[in-house]
Amino acid sequence: MTTIQQVLFEMESDYMGHPYFLTGHALFNALARRVNGRVRRALNVSTGVFIPGEYGAYPESHSHDGYAGKLGMSLPPVEAYEDVFVFRDAAQRWLLDSRPRDAHNTHDIQSHGGRLAFAPATRFGQPPEHRNTKRTMHWYVHCYLHGDGGDEDILPLSEGVLDGLRVGGARNYGLGELSLTDTQGIDVDALDYSRVRSADELQIELLSPYVVQSEYPGADRQSVPWWWASDRQLRRRQTRLVAGDDAHEVATIDHGQVVAYAGDRPVETAKNGIQRVGTHAKYGFGELRLRPADADRVPERAQAEADQQGGES
């Protein structure tokens, strides 16, 4: 049995860090101070994804359907493989169409003596004829944990370990505090993979950067997996892995890209994608999702690809 522990935090204070996500390495370091050596060695932490606490509905691919209330403020039920990714989809398909989607991809800025931080809540103004002319939306962070093979029993981490983590810059001054909102365990082997198993064609969506080269001591160089099929040059990005006072350069295939799946074991690939592949998977790199090639894509992206192919022909 392979178990992951989903965790949902609420941002309690201003945060100084990356505007789009919390790195798995930052979350790992925050947790590592609170657990013993065995748990620290076996623990794997995903990238933390910012989630708006808003009204939503289950996306088309979810095993449930219909209105879901304030979905971003609690963890939705997980019965099928697609359910794992409700909050890990950058398109946020669960948000109601009535929500200002563009505004939900940005944080308010706060200044601390000239240093900028991201606010834990966003305030929206409404026309004066409304009964309430302002409303407040709070930000949450979604991540999940798992243990190395043979050490899955390190989970679940207790509420005492998870609650009150601090991440980002100026942590010693009270910034970057996260409170635990919700957590649940998921048996990855027991999920329904019927959509993946029955699809004629599948695509791979890279949900976090895939490391091809790292200066971190002991890290291996990685090639692009043979089961990624793409005629294009994949977009690459340089990033850093900070350990103590040292910063190590890391070369990655950037996240957000979609390639065709050329393998022949889709269910096994789907499970491996949840646990991540490649160097530094322990810190959130190499997270993958398989999708049927013709299902649940962002319409604007599909149109852009069609326009590009038309221009190339």
Side-chain angles (χ1 to χ4, degrees), residues 113-133:
R115 298 183 64 189
L116 297 181
F118 298 106
T122 301
R123 291 177 173 79
F124 293 91
Q126 300 190 94
E129 62 269 24
H130 285 218
R131 182 172 63 88
N132 297 316
T133 57

Side-chain angles (χ1 to χ4, degrees), residues 68-145:
K70 280 201 167 182
L71 189 56
M73 300 170 66
S74 61
L75 292 170
V78 177
E79 298 171 6
Y81 168 68
E82 292 77 13
D83 301 346
V84 175
F85 301 101
V86 171
F87 287 157
R88 307 192 67 75
D89 182 355
Q92 297 178 348
R93 289 170 173 81
W94 57 272
L95 270 178
L96 293 182
D97 291 339
S98 60
R99 303 291 96 179
R101 187 174 297 271
D102 291 345
H104 286 72
N105 283 323
T106 58
H107 296 259
D108 276 352
I109 301 294
Q110 301 288 343
S111 177
H112 294 265
R115 298 183 64 189
L116 297 181
F118 298 106
T122 301
R123 291 177 173 79
F124 293 91
Q126 300 190 94
E129 62 269 24
H130 285 218
R131 182 172 63 88
N132 297 316
T133 57
K134 293 182 180 178
R135 66 180 181 87
T136 301
M137 181 201 74
H138 295 271
W139 285 97
Y140 294 78
V141 178
H142 176 271
C143 71
Y144 62 90
L145 319 170

